[in-house]
Amino acid sequence: MGAGIALLTEHGWPAVTTRGVAERAGTNPGLIHYHFGGLPGLHAAIARAAGELVIGPLVTELLGAVDARAALGRIRDMLGETTGDERATRLAVEVIAGAARDPALGEVLREQLRQARGQIGEALGRMHPEWPAERRAGVAVLVTAAVDGLMLHYLLDPGLPVGQAVSAAEGLLS
């Protein structure tokens, strides 16, 4: 997985071939075919692992917040750290690009995002038990999309005022 993720980050999906991953990992291409059932299985496994690397830390941070203001503070911190990590941002973009091109990779990412939104919705339920399930689900979608969008916008425009965007969201809570 490490070899595949490294190739994906450095050169995109076209570099993630059975032979390329085997060479990077120092193993036999036949073992990769045997273990993953061919290139589509390898791609799905790499997409799953890459998605966990990108989505997992963000969700973990959000789930640790005690309220909306703390969550926004964590988002500000995460985006500052994540956007500064060009490797993580490139990996996120490659996972999304692959998901847009390949239906199997798209299903992997969709499932990971569904799980993330579900976990965020559950956390919102603990913070706001008075909110109906539909509102929690809607806010979970909004939060997930906002974080993804800010990451992608930052990749295109490193001067993006992420802190100002989060401060504006804090203002909306007032």
Side-chain angles (χ1 to χ4, degrees), residues 51-65 71 74-75 78 112-121 123 126 140 143-144 147-148:
E52 289 171 7
L53 286 172
V54 172
I55 297 168
L58 299 172
V59 171
T60 299
E61 284 295 317
L62 288 174
L63 295 180
R74 288 177 183 238
I75 289 171
M78 286 185 298
Q112 288 177 318
L113 289 172
R114 284 182 198 119
Q115 289 175 0
R117 289 189 303 262
Q119 291 173 314
I120 292 168
R126 290 188 296 277
V143 167
T144 306
V147 172
D148 286 347

Side-chain angles (χ1 to χ4, degrees), residues 8 13 43 47 91-110 113 152:
L8 179 60
W13 285 107
H43 278 186
L91 187 58
V93 169
E94 287 298 334
V95 168
I96 291 168
R101 287 188 207 110
D102 181 335
L105 298 182
E107 185 52 38
V108 168
L109 182 57
R110 277 189 297 280
L113 289 172
L152 292 174

Side-chain angles (χ1 to χ4, degrees), residues 10-29:
E10 295 164 11
H11 306 290
W13 285 107
V16 183
T17 64
T18 304
R19 183 176 306 276
V21 172
E23 285 176 12
R24 176 67 72 97
T27 191
N28 181 327

